[in-house]
Amino acid sequence: MEKQNNAVGRRKEAVARVYMSKGTGSITVNGKEYKAYFPIMYLQNQVELPFKTIDARASFDVVVNVQGGGPKGQAEAIKLGIARALCEVNPEFRPALKKEGLMRRDPRSVERKKFGKRKARRSFQFSKR
């Protein structure tokens, strides 16, 4: 049985569980190939970024279960999960990944709506008369 490394990545409301093992470089997201799951090039690049940073694109197979949030949040959650799993595989990858800012969980999320407002900060239209 091949050793498998697990990691969790989060961003906004998205949670990605990443399972990584030695392999040929396939990335599967929720049962689909990642290029089919993320048709937008920017999101594909986000998912690939940790591998590009350490030049190990074709040496790991990744299976991801992701839920919650939208496409961008999911892609960035996967990016963090892959970076964490790579550090588990080889701790020497950590400085390079950290330098690129891939080990940091992005804390920004949606601000809550306040009462007396239309959205978080947007007021209702003001009418003088």
Side-chain angles (χ1 to χ4, degrees):
M1 174 79 189
E2 182 64 49
K3 180 160 175 8
Q4 192 176 41
N5 290 300
N6 306 351
V8 175
R10 293 189 183 89
R11 170 77 167 98
K12 293 183 170 181
E13 288 293 306
V15 180
R17 290 192 303 276
V18 176
Y19 306 96
M20 184 180 290
S21 56
K22 290 263 189 259
T24 58
S26 71
I27 302 175
T28 311
V29 180
N30 289 355
K32 292 183 182 174
E33 216 273 316
Y34 82 105
K35 290 189 176 176
Y37 193 84
F38 296 116
I40 300 166
M41 200 65 202
Y42 168 77
L43 300 178
Q44 293 174 15
N45 290 338
Q46 288 292 301
V47 172
E48 294 167 355
L49 195 60
F51 292 118
K52 288 179 180 168
T53 305
I54 59 161
D55 295 321
R57 176 70 184 89
S59 50
F60 297 100
D61 282 345
V62 180
V63 177
V64 182
N65 292 329
V66 65
Q67 65 233 13
K72 186 172 193 289
Q74 288 187 350
E76 293 184 7
I78 292 168
K79 175 175 77 171
L80 177 61
I82 289 173
R84 284 177 171 174
L86 284 169
C87 285
E88 232 174 80
V89 172
N90 186 351
E92 289 157 29
F93 292 152
R94 190 175 172 86
L97 292 167
K98 196 166 177 161
K99 187 168 177 267
E100 289 294 312
L102 299 175
M103 295 305 296
R104 186 165 188 271
R105 196 260 199 232
D106 194 335
R108 296 174 297 169
S109 62
V110 179
E111 190 175 338
R112 80 172 197 85
K113 184 197 172 297
K114 279 69 164 196
F115 57 89
K117 297 277 188 181
R118 210 167 80 185
K119 290 167 65 177
R121 298 183 182 199
R122 169 90 163 90
S123 299
F124 291 106
Q125 187 168 348
F126 177 72
S127 171
K128 200 165 192 175
R129 35 186 87 73

